[in-house]
């Protein structure tokens, strides 16, 4: 039992203690460095997320504006389409009235003396 244990010299114990303290200091430095890196990384992540949030809010606002403007444009197109339909109806009525007037003029002119024209100088 006890005879197998070799006593260590004071210098060896002092060297082991020095190496252990140096190792502990190195571990503490690495841990502090990691803590600083994690803090920096966390701050960068938060800043990155803030930028993404701001960008998402900007895109959302732009999309809402675009939808609102598109809706107004669709309403305006529908209104113009209705007006165009009314104008087409009016144009058809004008053409029909003109044809009827031309027919009336033709019939009336057949019954007037040759030098007289019912609608001379009048054109639609």
């Amino acid at each position: 039992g006890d005879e197998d244990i070799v006593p260590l010299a004071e210098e060896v114990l002092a060297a082991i203690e020095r190496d252990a303290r140096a190792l502990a200091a190195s571990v503490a430095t690495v841990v502090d460095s990691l803590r600083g890196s994690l803090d920096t990384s966390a701050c960068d992540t938060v800043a990155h997320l803030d930028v993404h949030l701001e960008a998402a809010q900007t895109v959302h606002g732009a999309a809402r504006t675009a939808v609102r403007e598109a809706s107004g444009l669709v309403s305006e197109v529908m209104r113009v389409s209705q007006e165009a339909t009314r104008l087409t109806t009016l144009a058809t009525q004008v053409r029909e009235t003109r044809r009827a007037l031309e027919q009336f003029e033709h019939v009336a002119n057949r019954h007037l003396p040759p030098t007289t024209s019912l609608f001379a100088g009048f054109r639609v």
Side-chain angles (χ1 to χ4, degrees):
D2 284 339
E3 63 252 1
D4 292 336
I5 296 176
V6 178
L8 296 176
E10 288 283 327
E11 295 115 18
V12 173
L13 286 175
I16 291 173
E17 188 177 337
R18 256 191 331 271
D19 289 346
R21 285 178 198 236
L23 182 59
S26 292
V27 168
T29 301
V30 169
V31 167
D32 284 344
S33 176
L34 285 175
R35 183 178 296 121
S37 294
L38 286 174
D39 287 344
T40 300
S41 178
C43 288
D44 288 348
T45 300
V46 168
H48 189 245
L49 290 174
D50 285 343
V51 168
H52 277 288
L53 175 63
E54 184 179 332
Q57 289 171 336
T58 299
V59 168
H60 178 259
R64 286 179 58 102
T65 300
V67 166
R68 194 176 321 110
E69 288 174 1
S71 177
L73 183 60
V74 167
S75 295
E76 187 64 18
V77 166
M78 290 176 67
R79 187 192 65 75
V80 167
S81 177
Q82 289 173 348
E83 291 296 323
T85 301
R86 290 183 195 139
L87 284 175
T88 301
T89 301
L90 181 61
T92 300
Q93 291 172 350
V94 167
R95 278 192 302 275
E96 290 171 358
T97 302
R98 184 174 182 175
R99 268 191 294 249
L101 182 62
E102 287 171 353
Q103 288 174 351
F104 175 75
E105 181 182 21
H106 179 69
V107 169
N109 284 337
R110 281 194 311 190
H111 298 290
L112 291 175
T115 58
T116 309
S117 176
L118 184 61
F119 296 106
F122 178 76
R123 277 288 158 224
V124 178

